[in-house]
Structures are given as C-alpha cells and as structure tokens.
Amino acid sequence: MPLQMNREVFITCAVTGSGGTQDRSPHVPRSPQQIAERAIDAAKAGAAVVHCHVRDPETGAPARDPSLYRELTERVRDADVDVVLNLTAGMGGDLVLGGVDQPLPPGPGTDMISGAERLAHVADCLPEICTLDCGTMNFAEADYIMVNSPGMLRDMGARMTALGVKVEIEAFDTGHLWLAKRLVEESVLNSPALVQLCMGVPWGAPDDLRTFLAMVDAVPADWVWSGFSLGRHQMPYVAAAVLAGGNVRVGLEDNLYLDKGVLATNAQLVERAVSIIENLGARVIGPEDVRARLGLEKRAPR
C-alpha cells in the first residue's frame, strides 16, 4: 500500500463511551451537563466532532434515556463553540446468554429492543451524525454479544437515512466493511459513506498494522474514514491513521491516560492529537470544513 498521507485532518473526540470506566477516572463524565461540558472543552482544544453516549447521572452506568440525550444535545448546541454532534445508536443490542450449559433464556443484562427504539433519541435530537455498528461481535469486557443482524442494520440504516442524519459506520472487523458496502449498494446508506475503523477492541480486529492496513484497503476510495485504537495505542494510531490517509479519534471512551500513570482529560487527549497531526505536517480542520466535506446539516432538535 503506497503512503497517501491526509493533509486535512479532522479529530473526533469520543467523550465518555459506555464501558465500565466511570469509577476508574474522575475525569469520565456522567451527567448530561458534565458530558456536554467535556465535549465543549474538546471542541475548544481542536476536536471538530464529538461522539457522545449518555450515562446514569448517579451511578455512571451506560444509559439510553432519550431525555438525557435531549439535555446533552441542547447544552452542546447552546455552547459558545461550534462542533459537529455525533450520537451513538449502539445501545439496545446486548445479549447475555444464560450460560454454557443452558444458554436460553437470556440472562440478566440482556437489552434487546427494536430499531425504532434504538433510534428514538436520534429522531428526537437530530444530530448531524449517528453511529451504526455494522456487525455482531463478542466483547471481552463482559460475557455478552453485541447483536446487529443484517435485518436490524438494514432497518436502522434506512431510518437514519430517512432522518437525514449522516451514518458513521463503526467497523470492528473486515466483514463489517463488507456488509457496509452491501448496504450502500442497496441504497440503505448513502454514498460516499463515513467509516470509523475500530482497532484493538476485543474480540474484533487486532490493532497490529497489517490488520489496520487491510481494513484501510477495504474502504472504498471515495469514502471518508477515521481510525482509532485503545489505551496506550491511542496516540500511535493518530499518526498511523493520518499517514494512511484517514482522520483520527481520541477520547476517554477509548483511553484514560495521557502518559503512564497520568490520567487524562478529553481536552488533553485532543491537544496531544493536534500536536501529533501538526508535527506530521498536516492541518487540523474545524467543524465547518467537516460539514462541507461530509454534506452535513446542523438542525435543531424536534
């Protein structure tokens, strides 16, 4: 693969995620107000896009309450800094089997709902971007399966397209890109598509460079893509993504540390990414350039 460095790079900050990190760092935001404030801080530090989940304000556990998303959205849009809002649509597809000897019925923690329910907050808030996890996958954080059947993905993708929200395809393995291309061919998703290459998430694509380049090679030439990896590999993948022609994602969803033993804030991670990108000779672009590149429309909630 020839080196095709991206000279005009946008940064996505994944602000809080839905993993069990809420008690591992005081910087992981919980309430909509905290998540919005940290998203705004990331935007001021150089992030053009903020990718947001919501959490239970008291416990920090992952949540999918549309009212929490509504508060978050309104706070971000009322801020004195511009940023592209990207909301997750990944909640509501968790399957916890009953055990190896008796897998059915499903066990506690299972959260399986319809595509319409999974997108209720997207339909209400109308973010510029929302995510579509383009495949089913095992996760190592707990013994559960993230379930996204082809039928469910077609339903959710069609709903996102009808809402006029740009779909960010979350690809955790090469097969997810294969399915994403089929969804574009079927006009479920619009082309050119937007892709996030999710590296090093157990048990998806490992974050070695050979696998990463295989993922990059599987992205159609006219699509826009971004990439990230977890933990201590987050910043090396900032450089790798830019050098391979893509954009970058950082943030506390994927990594809690700025340096060994030093807990990070979202803004600090964005600042570090900005430094790496600029030292490579590329330019960090802002939200207006991203909207022009992706054809985004900033709209008020319904």
Side-chain angles (χ1 to χ4, degrees):
M1 173 183 169
L3 187 66
Q4 295 180 325
M5 178 176 163
N6 183 11
R7 299 281 178 178
E8 303 282 326
V9 180
F10 67 81
I11 299 172
T12 296
C13 182
V15 177
T16 190
S18 61
T21 57
Q22 65 269 29
D23 297 319
R24 293 169 53 197
S25 170
H27 303 305
V28 175
R30 298 186 177 200
S31 70
Q33 179 178 350
Q34 291 169 345
I35 296 167
E37 289 173 349
R38 300 296 80 78
I40 293 161
D41 290 344
K44 290 178 178 179
V49 182
V50 288
H51 170 61
C52 297
H53 296 239
V54 294
R55 293 176 178 268
D56 182 296
E58 299 300 323
T59 67
R64 52 177 177 80
D65 182 344
S67 68
L68 298 177
Y69 278 106
R70 182 64 175 245
E71 180 182 346
L72 165 67
T73 298
E74 291 177 348
R75 288 181 179 277
V76 170
R77 286 184 167 149
D78 288 343
D80 60 354
V81 62
D82 189 23
V83 70
V84 173
L85 183 61
N86 175 338
L87 296 183
T88 185
M91 304 293 289
D94 294 348
L95 174 61
V96 181
L97 296 177
V100 294
D101 295 324
Q102 188 175 351
L104 296 178
T110 294
D111 182 28
M112 300 286 290
I113 57 175
S114 70
E117 290 177 283
R118 291 175 72 171
L119 292 175
H121 64 292
V122 175
D124 180 51
C125 297
L126 294 177
E128 291 163 274
I129 301 173
C130 69
T131 60
L132 185 67
D133 297 329
C134 222
T136 293
M137 199 178 92
N138 296 323
F139 271 87
E141 185 175 54
D143 191 19
Y144 79 98
I145 303 165
M146 177 182 74
V147 179
N148 292 293
S149 69
M152 180 65 79
L153 291 173
R154 285 185 173 91
D155 178 76
M156 291 179 65
R159 292 176 185 274
M160 293 169 178
T161 299
L163 288 169
V165 177
K166 183 71 175 181
V167 177
E168 182 182 77
I169 295 161
E170 305 288 286
F172 295 83
D173 219 332
T174 52
H176 298 181
L177 290 169
W178 188 3
L179 178 53
K181 286 185 275 191
R182 178 61 59 87
L183 296 180
V184 170
E185 290 169 3
E186 295 173 355
S187 298
V188 173
L189 305 181
N190 293 328
S191 184
L194 171 65
V195 179
Q196 187 70 249
L197 302 181
C198 310
M199 308 301 299
V201 180
W203 302 111
D207 61 2
D208 64 89
L209 287 177
R210 287 185 178 86
T211 303
F212 179 58
L213 293 179
M215 297 276 278
V216 171
D217 283 343
V219 177
D222 62 333
W223 292 15
V224 177
W225 66 271
S226 180
F228 74 90
S229 187
L230 305 185
R232 61 190 176 91
H233 292 148
Q234 184 173 82
M235 292 305 161
Y237 264 77
V238 169
V242 174
L243 291 172
N247 302 282
V248 305
R249 169 172 138 171
V250 295
L252 295 181
E253 176 172 352
D254 310 316
N255 167 44
L256 297 178
Y257 291 92
L258 188 66
D259 293 300
K260 186 174 182 179
V262 180
L263 290 170
T265 66
N266 280 295
Q268 289 173 326
L269 293 172
V270 173
E271 290 167 354
R272 179 69 59 86
V274 168
S275 177
I276 292 169
I277 293 164
E278 291 181 343
N279 283 329
L280 287 171
R283 183 174 77 91
V284 176
I285 65 174
E288 282 303 313
D289 287 333
V290 172
R291 291 190 183 100
R293 182 182 295 185
L294 299 179
L296 304 179
E297 180 184 358
K298 187 174 183 178
R299 296 177 290 175
R302 290 179 173 175

